[in-house]
Amino acid sequence: MASAVMNATTVALDWLSSSFDAPLARAVIFGVHVDGHLVVEVLLIVVILFLLSRKSYKHPKKPLTEKEIDELCEDWVPEPLHPPITEEMLSEPPTLESAAGTHTMIDGKEVVNFACANYLGLIGHEKLINSCASSLEKYGVGSCGPRGFYGTIDVHLDCEERISKFLGTSDSVLYSYGISTIFSVIPAFCKKGDIIVADEGVHWGVQNGLYLSRSTVVYFKHNDMASLESTLERITKGNKRAERLRRYIVVEAVYQNSGQVAPLDVIVKLKERYHFRVILDESNSFGVLGSSGRGLSEHCGVPINKIDIITSGLGGALATDGGFCTGSVRVVDHQRLSSSGYVFSASLPPYLASAAISAIDHLEENPSLLGQLRENISLLRRELEDVPGLTVSSSPLSPMVFLTLKRSTGSPKADQQLLEDITNRALKEDGVFIVTSKRSTLDRCRLPIGIRLFVSAGHTHGDILKASASLKRVAAAALSEPI
Amino acid sequence: MVRLPYFIALTTLFSYVLIFTIGRLRDLFRTLVDFYRPKSEGDQGYAPICLGLEDFYSRRLYRRIQDCFGRPLAGAPDTWIDVVDRHSNDSNKTIQRTADTRRCLNLGSYNYLGFAASDEYCTPRVVDCLKKYSPSTCSVRVDGGTTKLHAELEDLVARFVGKPAAVIFGMGYATNSSIIPVLTGKGGLIISDSLNHNSIVNGARGSGAVVRVFQHNTPLHLEEVLREQVAAGQPRTHRPWKKIIVIVEGIYSMEGEICKLPEIVAVCKKYKAYTYLDEAHSIGAVGKSGRGVCELLGVDPADVDVMMGTFTKSFGSCGGYIAASKEIIQYLKYACPAHLYATSMSPPAVEQVICAMKVISGEDGSNRGAVKLARIRENSNFFRSQLQKMGLQVLGDNDSPIMPIMLYNPSKIPAFSRECLKQNVAVVTVAFPATPLLLARARICISASHTREDLIRGLKVISEVGDLVGIKYFPVEPEKHLAESGGAMVD
């Protein structure tokens, strides 16, 4: 039985091999005898190569059916639009009943006002109000259109010329809101791939501009020039590509979050060494620093054309609203088409532009205001040296005197409550209106909060003494109580 | 959706290609010339402010027709304006003002209810307010910037719009840019109309949420996008979205179309998305009593979660507002950066809005408001029907005071603008980047203070200039349906 099967198999195999070999028995290719088995081997190699070249088997994806999508949509529960309302969200700021000058009315009582950035005391000034009134009669209130579409009134052009004449630059651009100036200027110049080195204490407007620009942002320690230098060195060292990119340093002249003043001469030296452009925000220093109020560049003795882009809000010393940006002709021209806050927004109301012109005129005619302001600042700082529990942490030049807690309670929330307690008491008991610095949830600045006093050239000695006495008394009372 | 004849599309494309080629040739010459000229001292080692083609459009296209934009006025932006003449010595590279002005009919300013210039009720009160409160408070709202006026206006706005509470800001653009990041952040989804305004786009980008776009004013496509997104979840992780906000505008400023609000609100309710309505152009201008698109289309304000608007267009002032539920407004006042860091709205501007709102709702004791609202509707419908009879291609819905007239060809933009100015009619022409490249247009904004004679005069001039420039693409009524069927559709 077995041998029969064996015989049959042998016969079959012999037949198979003979049928393969026979047709090619006399084939000789390239001097090699081609036998039948070579054909089989070649076929096998082809199949192997074919299988290797195919992708590995993946489980086929099945799209969701309509019913499944319906179920998912029904199951999904969105978060509410707002988080639960807490106690602190309900607090309302005090309501003013008169102009926000050095003395103002709150709840029927007259209080000394240290909460408004009225640095030159121009709120309520007759000249300003008269020019605004005539402007209102002539132009109405709003400008009813963006700058490109009949929203440009001749006062806007006059104001831009006046500002650039005052500062000594070639041209300037007027924006309709202080905070939108910086967050429109930065994305107009910095695009994806550019490098920006910014101070970590810049305010929200600058942070938003940096985020919208989609450039690479590197922060350096607040107002620390050594940190700035090492950052610049780190970025440019050995980095050939960095030379072809646009590079910017963004700083503020007087920082809103801390009252520190940036050392512009050091920054300009660094910028020239490493070939960076400087964007300077002068919202709290325009009309304040410098012998004639032209800002930080005049104060540090730096020629204004060394700073590439200067922006500022007009809501400080000039007692109006809006903002401007100035620089070389190239810088200014570029913004007229590519700065979103300029192109896509209605222009500044004409009466505010004429107020700005009168304010600058007044400042040029009366530079003694600056001396008055400086005297007030130093008097206040002297008086506040011995406030219990608080220390003056702003620069001696800053018109915004910043007080921080000597010893923090440990949690930022408790600090905030303590400071607000102090300011509320000062307002209610002594009629002195001061404020704490508040942080939005979107703000990424981590500098300590504190109490801010905005000094004005219009404050009298009496006002300042009253404020410091009140603060000393209230701070002592608030800190001695257990929290 | 705009339909244009094939011939027009081809000629427009050809014009742009020609301008582009000439521009590139000139750039080439400039590079060659600069190569041989020594570089100025200050620019050594610095990368140029604009690289490559970034400002090509500005230098080679926009600059040639620069005189059509940014025309300065020597007075209030009222119905009749004094446009300052300008001239240029170097073919439009720089333009200088002259002392001459010309009196033109204003068909371009956003002055829907005629509050732009001095008003008999508003202006005396505004001047009084100025004398009492000064032009600015120099302070942020949470510090010393809140006056009695601000509180009064917030109440008034909430009542006017029909929501429980409102908050005001000094600039409409900043309102959008700083509110949207507060409402949603990372992990959220924003679905916005494809033709939304730049401020909404910036706000959406600045929030960090994922942004998706749905076809302009198409509720069906919005439903599709919503279904897809809710089912898919966040990209890559597929976790469910934290919240979804759908942003639409009341009247789209470049199309003049009114939003299909009832359908969109229905879709959003079905899929539990929040609605954000930007009524910059529609508040005060449409609706029987000026309450905006909600009134016009019969939508209950309670169905829209957040309503935003500006005071620039219909109230003749500046600034913006947000109206929503009490809790949302309290949260916004606590967290919104524009409320915490930006100077509060100027008191005279606040007073102007208060007075304008009182006039519109009749609280001033006269019927001027009702008259204005009826007039603007009448004027808009009359003007639009007349323009269509002439054979011009006009976009937008009935009742909308914005009328874009299609020009298409880039050379017709300056031609139309300059010819109209010669005949003392001031029009606004819009090109790229505010509109798509091929769809340049002239945009007319009608005001309640336009009289019938003014409108007839405007129509006569537009008709003459239209014949001269050749923009009557769809000839008069009887042949209209033939021309439409042979046109090309462009989104």
Side-chain angles (χ1 to χ4, degrees):
Chain A
M1 189 62 179
S3 56
V5 173
M6 286 289 296
N7 276 338
T9 333
T10 331
V11 166
L13 280 169
D14 280 340
W15 176 85
L16 208 59
S17 41
S18 61
S19 68
F20 259 116
D21 285 337
L24 303 167
R26 277 181 287 275
V28 177
I29 305 177
F30 300 128
V32 176
H33 262 273
V34 174
D35 292 318
H37 61 93
L38 229 58
V39 178
V40 179
E41 280 153 20
V42 169
L43 265 169
L44 269 171
I45 292 178
V46 170
V47 170
I48 290 173
L49 285 173
F50 174 68
L51 281 173
L52 278 174
S53 66
R54 297 292 302 272
K55 271 210 205 144
S56 55
Y57 176 73
K58 269 211 180 81
H59 196 75
K61 264 197 174 138
K62 273 197 315 200
L64 296 168
T65 62
E66 289 301 314
K67 193 154 164 291
E68 284 170 343
I69 297 183
D70 279 335
E71 276 173 24
L72 282 167
C73 291
E74 271 203 45
D75 286 338
W76 177 63
V77 177
E79 276 180 17
L81 259 184
H82 60 89
I85 302 292
T86 60
E87 193 58 56
E88 54 185 341
M89 289 189 198
L90 294 170
S91 66
E92 294 275 340
T95 313
L96 271 63
E97 287 155 17
S98 73
T102 45
H103 288 252
T104 182
M105 303 278 283
I106 296 183
D107 280 338
K109 262 189 354 182
E110 187 174 314
V111 299
V112 178
N113 185 3
F114 277 90
C116 298
N118 175 19
Y119 301 135
L120 296 176
L122 291 177
I123 290 187
H125 196 273
E126 220 183 294
K127 230 168 86 167
L128 224 68
I129 296 200
N130 285 343
S131 78
C132 280
S134 53
S135 202
L136 279 172
E137 301 279 349
K138 186 171 176 200
Y139 299 108
V141 175
S143 59
C144 299
R147 286 293 289 263
F149 303 151
Y150 302 108
T152 307
I153 317 278
D154 46 6
V155 273
H156 293 139
L157 300 172
D158 291 335
C159 187
E160 289 177 356
E161 277 170 28
R162 189 74 185 83
I163 292 175
S164 33
K165 205 170 91 169
F166 180 64
L167 283 177
T169 56
S170 42
D171 203 356
S172 59
V173 178
L174 209 56
Y175 284 84
S176 40
Y177 206 40
I179 207 177
S180 77
T181 314
I182 191 68
F183 76 57
S184 305
V185 165
I186 296 183
F189 290 102
C190 312
K191 305 279 193 279
K192 194 167 175 143
D194 293 339
I195 301 177
I196 307 183
V197 175
D199 187 298
E200 65 180 6
V202 286
H203 67 156
W204 177 83
V206 181
Q207 291 168 26
N208 196 27
L210 294 173
Y211 184 78
L212 286 172
S213 69
R214 298 197 269 203
S215 316
T216 327
V217 183
V218 181
Y219 290 96
F220 66 91
K221 283 214 204 54
H222 182 54
N223 219 19
D224 184 346
M225 289 300 111
S227 167
L228 173 60
E229 186 168 352
S230 63
T231 315
L232 292 174
E233 181 68 45
R234 192 164 36 102
I235 293 177
T236 51
K237 189 156 128 164
N239 194 347
K240 275 275 135 198
R241 208 176 68 92
E243 285 174 27
R244 271 180 288 118
L245 293 171
R246 289 170 291 213
R247 293 162 283 167
Y248 295 92
I249 300 177
V250 177
V251 285
E252 290 179 48
V254 173
Y255 288 93
Q256 206 157 306
N257 284 328
S258 68
Q260 298 294 324
V261 172
L264 195 61
D265 36 0
V266 178
I267 293 178
V268 167
K269 281 206 200 69
L270 286 174
K271 141 199 149 117
E272 287 182 336
R273 186 159 24 129
Y274 293 98
H275 297 300
F276 273 64
R277 288 197 168 94
V278 171
I279 301 181
L280 181 67
D281 182 45
E282 290 222 55
S283 300
N284 288 319
S285 64
F286 183 72
V288 172
L289 295 181
S291 56
S292 57
R294 285 174 167 77
L296 189 59
S297 54
E298 187 182 27
H299 174 83
C300 294
V302 170
I304 196 130
N305 57 1
K306 289 219 178 215
I307 310 174
D308 304 274
I309 302 172
I310 300 178
T311 64
S312 171
L314 295 171
L318 295 189
T320 68
D321 209 351
F324 69 87
C325 175
T326 182
S328 66
V329 175
R330 187 89 181 76
V331 158
V332 169
D333 259 346
H334 180 69
Q335 283 174 59
R336 297 212 194 263
L337 250 202
S338 47
S339 169
S340 12
Y342 180 83
V343 173
F344 293 107
S345 164
S347 53
L348 186 66
Y351 74 94
L352 290 174
S354 47
I357 299 178
S358 323
I360 297 183
D361 285 337
H362 185 75
L363 173 60
E364 266 198 317
E365 288 159 22
N366 303 328
S368 58
L369 285 171
L370 298 161
Q372 184 70 38
L373 175 61
R374 275 191 266 275
E375 216 185 283
N376 284 353
I377 297 173
S378 40
L379 176 61
L380 185 61
R381 286 177 66 92
R382 257 200 330 267
E383 291 293 319
L384 291 176
E385 263 166 17
D386 50 351
V387 173
L390 296 170
T391 140
V392 177
S393 62
S394 59
S395 152
L397 294 165
S398 157
M400 186 183 72
V401 175
F402 205 79
L403 294 161
T404 44
L405 286 169
K406 272 199 184 118
R407 235 191 15 223
S408 157
T409 54
S411 86
K413 266 215 158 48
D415 281 349
Q416 175 104 33
Q417 264 176 324
L418 177 59
L419 292 170
E420 287 200 2
D421 189 36
I422 296 179
T423 52
N424 286 340
R425 279 196 213 211
L427 178 60
K428 282 209 185 58
E429 295 167 16
D430 295 328
V432 171
F433 188 20
I434 49 181
V435 284
T436 58
S437 59
K438 301 188 178 59
R439 286 283 157 71
S440 157
T441 45
L442 299 179
D443 199 340
R444 55 164 289 165
C445 173
R446 294 283 165 260
L447 295 177
I449 51 167
I451 296 184
R452 281 200 283 215
L453 285 97
F454 294 94
V455 184
S456 163
H459 281 133
T460 59
H461 277 205
D463 293 334
I464 297 181
L465 293 170
K466 182 171 176 192
S468 53
S470 158
L471 205 51
K472 282 182 216 175
R473 190 187 70 78
V474 167
L479 287 165
S480 60
E481 282 170 22
I483 297 164
Chain B
M1 291 255 270
V2 181
R3 322 177 84 189
L4 65 159
Y6 281 122
F7 180 65
I8 305 295
L10 279 172
T11 47
T12 312
L13 211 51
F14 174 73
S15 305
Y16 273 111
V17 167
L18 187 65
I19 300 178
F20 183 78
T21 324
I22 294 182
R24 291 292 273 159
L25 275 172
R26 292 184 75 162
D27 274 351
L28 182 66
F29 282 127
R30 164 69 42 197
T31 336
L32 288 173
V33 166
D34 276 344
F35 194 69
Y36 291 106
R37 195 195 293 170
K39 242 197 167 152
S40 65
E41 193 38 72
D43 282 340
Q44 284 286 20
Y46 290 90
I49 284 195
C50 289
L51 299 165
L53 287 179
E54 269 173 19
D55 63 343
F56 179 81
Y57 178 82
S58 159
R59 274 179 299 120
R60 299 297 174 205
L61 280 92
Y62 176 80
R63 204 160 271 174
R64 287 167 176 270
I65 55 173
Q66 220 189 140
D67 63 306
C68 300
F69 303 101
R71 292 195 179 130
L73 308 181
D78 202 1
T79 334
W80 284 87
I81 46 177
D82 294 305
V83 178
V84 174
D85 280 334
R86 303 186 288 174
H87 73 264
S88 168
N89 293 330
D90 46 8
S91 53
N92 273 354
K93 235 168 124 190
T94 56
I95 309 189
Q96 281 83 35
R97 288 188 273 170
T98 62
D100 302 317
T101 62
R102 58 167 76 221
R103 196 135 180 87
C104 299
L105 175 66
N106 186 0
L107 290 177
S109 291
Y110 300 136
N111 180 19
Y112 300 139
L113 293 178
F115 283 111
S118 205
D119 182 83
E120 58 191 19
Y121 180 78
C122 303
T123 311
R125 287 175 177 72
V126 171
V127 175
D128 279 338
C129 170
L130 168 75
K131 295 202 169 105
K132 185 168 177 207
Y133 286 99
S134 270
S136 166
T137 57
C138 288
S139 175
V140 303
R141 280 295 297 274
V142 287
D143 287 346
T146 308
T147 63
K148 258 185 8 192
L149 292 173
H150 293 93
E152 193 186 329
L153 180 58
E154 287 182 352
D155 267 332
L156 197 55
V157 165
R159 258 190 306 130
F160 189 78
V161 165
K163 287 296 242 180
V167 60
I168 58 173
F169 299 93
M171 182 191 184
Y173 188 95
T175 312
N176 270 333
S177 315
S178 51
I179 289 288
I180 301 178
V182 175
L183 289 177
T184 175
K186 257 196 151 94
L189 173 68
I190 295 178
I191 306 185
S192 90
D193 189 290
S194 59
L195 294 178
N196 266 342
H197 189 251
N198 187 275
S199 56
I200 299 177
V201 170
N202 261 349
R205 272 205 210 133
S207 67
V210 174
V211 183
R212 291 274 176 268
V213 161
F214 73 93
Q215 253 175 44
H216 174 60
N217 227 5
T218 318
L220 283 174
H221 191 240
L222 171 63
E223 182 159 10
E224 251 179 65
V225 171
L226 269 170
R227 282 174 71 81
E228 193 191 311
Q229 290 300 324
V230 174
Q234 297 186 31
R236 289 173 65 231
T237 56
H238 294 290
R239 283 199 216 146
W241 295 106
K242 289 208 178 130
K243 51 184 113 151
I244 300 186
I245 302 186
V246 174
I247 307 184
V248 289
E249 288 186 37
I251 294 186
Y252 292 92
S253 56
M254 286 301 156
E255 278 69 34
E257 278 172 28
I258 300 184
C259 157
K260 294 198 175 104
L261 196 59
E263 293 89 346
I264 291 181
V265 165
V267 167
C268 290
K269 276 190 135 149
K270 185 166 161 202
Y271 293 94
K272 295 175 263 187
Y274 298 112
T275 27
Y276 182 106
L277 178 65
D278 178 339
E279 291 213 80
H281 286 268
S282 51
I283 190 72
V286 294
K288 204 149 146 287
S289 56
R291 304 304 207 237
V293 276
C294 286
E295 188 181 18
L296 183 70
L297 299 173
V299 174
D300 186 4
D303 285 339
V304 180
D305 297 287
V306 183
M307 292 172 72
M308 176 261 174
T310 59
F311 300 126
T312 330
K313 283 92 184 175
S314 308
F315 303 101
S317 177
C318 65
Y321 69 86
I322 297 270
S325 68
K326 272 212 166 65
E327 290 79 31
I328 298 182
I329 297 294
Q330 264 159 4
Y331 176 59
L332 288 178
K333 283 188 174 171
Y334 171 72
C336 175
H339 198 251
L340 295 173
Y341 300 130
T343 326
S344 67
M345 196 165 152
S346 166
V350 175
E351 182 67 26
Q352 163 79 15
V353 182
I354 294 177
C355 293
M357 275 192 175
K358 286 204 175 124
V359 171
I360 294 175
S361 45
E363 284 174 30
D364 66 327
S366 74
N367 71 338
R368 278 174 71 218
V371 167
K372 280 181 195 276
L373 288 164
R375 268 258 284 282
I376 186 173
R377 200 165 45 243
E378 228 179 272
N379 285 354
S380 320
N381 290 338
F382 169 70
F383 207 79
R384 178 174 267 114
S385 60
Q386 290 297 320
L387 285 177
Q388 279 169 335
K389 283 211 189 91
M390 272 184 225
L392 297 168
Q393 188 177 15
V394 182
L395 307 178
D397 299 329
N398 267 338
D399 279 353
S400 147
I402 301 180
M403 274 156 243
I405 303 176
M406 297 311 291
L407 297 172
Y408 299 120
N409 206 304
S411 49
K412 297 192 183 175
I413 303 170
F416 189 79
S417 182
R418 288 171 191 158
E419 289 300 321
C420 281
L421 191 65
K422 273 200 204 124
Q423 307 219 24
N424 289 350
V425 169
V427 292
V428 161
T429 46
V430 197
F432 187 79
T435 61
L437 189 66
L438 293 181
L439 303 176
R441 60 201 73 177
R443 187 181 67 175
I444 309 279
C445 291
I446 296 295
S447 155
S449 51
H450 281 131
T451 60
R452 201 37 91 94
E453 292 79 41
D454 293 334
L455 293 181
I456 293 178
R457 179 144 196 289
L459 284 166
K460 192 160 118 342
V461 169
I462 291 179
S463 183
E464 276 171 30
V465 175
D467 279 323
L468 190 64
V469 168
I471 51 172
K472 293 194 175 169
Y473 299 121
F474 295 113
V476 242
E477 297 270 75
E479 297 147 61
K480 204 161 140 193
H481 65 279
L482 280 174
E484 270 187 76
S485 58
M489 303 259 281
V490 176
D491 263 358

